[in-house]
Amino acid sequence: MKSKCKKLFAEMKPEFMTKKDWQCLGVLLLVFTCLVFFRLGSFKAPQTTYTTKTGEADIVLDFGEYTDIASFSIFLGNLNTRHLSLSAFNEVTGEWEIINGDATVESVFDWNKVDVNYNLRYLGIVATDDTAVFNELVVQTPDGSILEPVNADSYPSLFDEQDTFPSAVTYMNGTMFDEVYHGRTAYEFIHHLTTYETTHPHFGKILISLGIRLLGMTPFGWRFMSALFGILITGVMYLFAKRLFRNTFTATAVTTLFCFDCMHYNLSRIATIDIFAAFFILLMYYFMYEYIVRDNAAKPDRPLTERILVPLALCGITMAFGIATKWTGIYAAAGLALIFFIHVICRFPGNKKQIPRLFGFCCIFFVLIPLAVYTLSFIPVVGYTEYKNLIDKAIQGSISMFNYHSQLVAEHYYSSPFYEWPIIWMPLLDANDAVTATKVSAVSCMGNPAIWWVGIPCQVFVLVHGILKKDKRAAFLFLAYLAQYVPWMSISRITFIYHYFPAILFVILMMGYTINCIIHRFSWGKKAVTIYLAAAVIVFFLFFPVVSGFPIDRELGMKLRWLKDWILIL
């Protein structure tokens, strides 16, 4: 068994990678790792919980004397949108006077501020929902000082982690955008709670939960696995580019563009499932290409050896994880199927005797294993739908997902249709928080204009080469791109620019194809490409403050509004 594993590992060893390749890749990975972990999120957040229930929903805080209370902030647990009734006790009348009968705290695992602006001694907070989970409560006076009630010992889990309250509430201290769904669900998986986010398959949220288990339910913890996969996909991009073009300079150029693409950076720093789906999509196409190359290198009447079948098996396995992460993996799988069948037809009838074996092999790795992985991803799901067993749970859950996406009627200011994505017409603002009177922390999901806009003519170049010159690499890349992009053209529900990210993987590889042609045709090619790469890196750092959440002067952020609909900062 040990020798068998050694043989399989040797079969997949990228022999095309040289020492120089590993050095270039190592430098790029180091740079991107430093970027992605820089201010990724706080290592601490309130952990203990206070749960209110019907009949036990009153929280009465005594401040010892009449004091001006400006506001309080609640770090909300895993139940979103909790309603509160606030009141102050009048010692003259002996009655409670309502200050605000319908205050709301919405965002889970985040600090939610509630204004009070009242002079009082006793503050009553009543949770009007059946159940509410509060991790911490911080009261502030008008000058911003934290005021702890004299009866804090009556609610120990509400006042035991006051040091976790930040001087400025930003993405560093809590959830942003869809983290309130995916990060929350990962937490629920760990604690066997009713699953909230049920609109996507669950493997990506299982991955997020691994980071939480390792590092705790903190911003750094729930984003850790996204950062890790953002780094890993960078390595896959280099391997893919080197396999395609057999040129170290081109592979380095492609990976540099990928490292400094704003959306790759953004999705590697947020606890959503998109970076995981992209990782598996890129990997499945890498393995399909590896299979095609090895199959083409063999004689037409050759047997299907392990050297040929191992990458095909790995393609099916990574496809399985891609689909179990997000249904966009199905789009990618359709593209894989098209490429695979074109390849088989082109090889026919030389491999005619192998067709039955190949068919059986594909049934196992592209049907049975994906079905098994997809079904197993539902194991941690708890109680959002009735089911009889695991298989029924997966079926009922999938029906629920389909109904949600097919019937969704919603609007969102930052939504954008598919035809706007390549030109970055509408970036998505993930977070925007005031740090000081003039500085803002903003996290925008957008592409690097120097990469995405230049990628458009590169797509045309690759398409022309694929059709007129019958270049198989060009055809492979363009078909892979279409598989990630074309299905969105028929989607009627609201969509966002990050849905384009799997397609951008292949846009950057098509840019690599173009770069490879340039450096081999023109003596000045490498110099020109190097200058372009430097420009792309400069543009990345120009937009870095508004994609990273680094505090920036509001006026400076507004100057980055290159297109009229760009709202990168508020």
Side-chain angles (χ1 to χ4, degrees), residues 117-312:
N117 297 319
Y118 210 88
N119 182 270
L120 51 78
R121 174 180 175 179
Y122 297 98
L123 173 63
I125 304 172
V126 180
T128 57
D129 301 284
D130 292 340
T131 305
V133 180
F134 305 139
N135 286 24
E136 193 72 5
L137 194 155
V138 173
V139 181
Q140 289 182 285
T141 58
D143 64 359
S145 301
I146 295 176
L147 181 66
E148 188 169 305
V150 297
N151 65 332
D153 290 345
S154 300
Y155 309 95
S157 56
L158 281 181
F159 296 98
D160 60 338
E161 298 170 287
Q162 299 282 288
D163 63 322
T164 60
F165 185 68
S167 57
V169 176
T170 69
Y171 79 98
M172 285 285 293
N173 322 109
T175 49
M176 59 176 169
F177 192 56
D178 279 356
E179 288 183 336
V180 297
Y181 305 122
H182 302 143
R184 165 186 175 173
T185 300
Y187 173 88
E188 290 166 343
F189 283 173
I190 294 171
H191 296 277
H192 310 291
L193 301 171
T194 299
T195 303
Y196 179 73
E197 200 288 304
T198 59
T199 62
H200 296 290
H202 302 288
F203 186 67
K205 287 159 281 184
I206 293 173
L207 290 175
I208 294 172
S209 74
L210 298 180
I212 296 171
R213 287 181 185 275
L214 180 66
L215 298 162
M217 191 59 188
T218 65
F220 190 90
W222 64 64
R223 293 173 189 147
F224 175 77
M225 292 302 291
S226 294
L228 177 61
F229 271 74
I231 296 166
L232 292 176
I233 193 176
T234 304
V236 176
M237 181 63 80
Y238 192 100
L239 292 175
F240 205 164
K242 183 62 194 293
R243 191 67 172 113
L244 279 163
F245 309 118
R246 296 283 182 164
N247 185 280
T248 298
F249 180 86
T250 303
T252 302
V254 166
T255 312
T256 299
L257 292 174
F258 192 54
C259 281
F260 293 98
D261 176 53
C262 299
M263 186 169 289
H264 171 215
Y265 174 76
N266 173 272
L267 295 180
S268 300
R269 288 166 52 85
I270 183 171
T272 58
I273 59 177
D274 297 279
I275 195 67
F276 307 124
F279 172 81
F280 292 118
I281 288 171
L282 187 62
L283 203 53
M284 69 175 86
Y285 275 86
Y286 168 77
F287 285 128
M288 177 58 75
Y289 186 78
E290 182 70 23
Y291 160 73
I292 290 172
V293 169
R294 294 187 181 192
D295 194 40
N296 283 334
K299 294 180 180 179
D301 58 347
R302 85 289 178 227
L304 292 172
T305 63
E306 287 181 353
R307 176 173 173 76
I308 296 172
L309 290 178
V310 166
L312 190 61

Side-chain angles (χ1 to χ4, degrees), residues 450-519:
I451 298 173
W452 286 37
W453 292 348
V454 174
I456 295 173
C458 291
Q459 295 172 49
V460 177
F461 180 79
V462 170
L463 176 61
V464 170
H465 270 238
I467 295 175
L468 298 184
K469 297 198 173 184
K470 295 182 170 38
D471 188 310
K472 293 181 178 179
R473 287 181 305 173
F476 179 94
L477 289 175
F478 202 80
L479 286 174
Y481 167 74
L482 292 179
Q484 319 312 315
Y485 189 36
V486 171
W488 290 102
M489 298 179 184
S490 62
I491 300 297
S492 58
R493 54 151 288 178
I494 60 170
T495 53
F496 299 90
I497 192 170
Y498 63 81
H499 290 133
Y500 190 56
F501 184 64
I504 277 294
L505 302 174
F506 298 98
V507 170
I508 292 177
L509 285 171
M510 285 191 279
M511 294 175 74
Y513 181 97
T514 307
I515 288 170
N516 203 52
C517 290
I518 290 173
I519 65 173

Side-chain angles (χ1 to χ4, degrees), residues 382-401:
V382 174
Y384 74 91
T385 186
E386 294 183 2
Y387 53 84
K388 299 174 183 177
N389 49 50
L390 179 59
I391 294 176
D392 188 48
K393 185 195 291 190
I395 293 172
Q396 297 302 321
S398 299
I399 292 172
S400 175
M401 288 178 212

Side-chain angles (χ1 to χ4, degrees), residues 51-69:
T51 303
T52 69
K53 298 179 182 179
T54 302
E56 300 176 3
D58 295 5
I59 300 170
V60 178
L61 305 182
D62 178 7
F63 296 100
E65 60 183 5
Y66 278 82
T67 308
D68 288 330
I69 304 298

Side-chain angles (χ1 to χ4, degrees), residues 20-34 259:
K20 187 176 180 181
D21 284 310
W22 290 116
Q23 290 172 343
C24 292
L25 176 56
V27 170
L28 288 168
L29 287 178
L30 177 61
V31 170
F32 188 74
T33 299
C34 293
C259 281

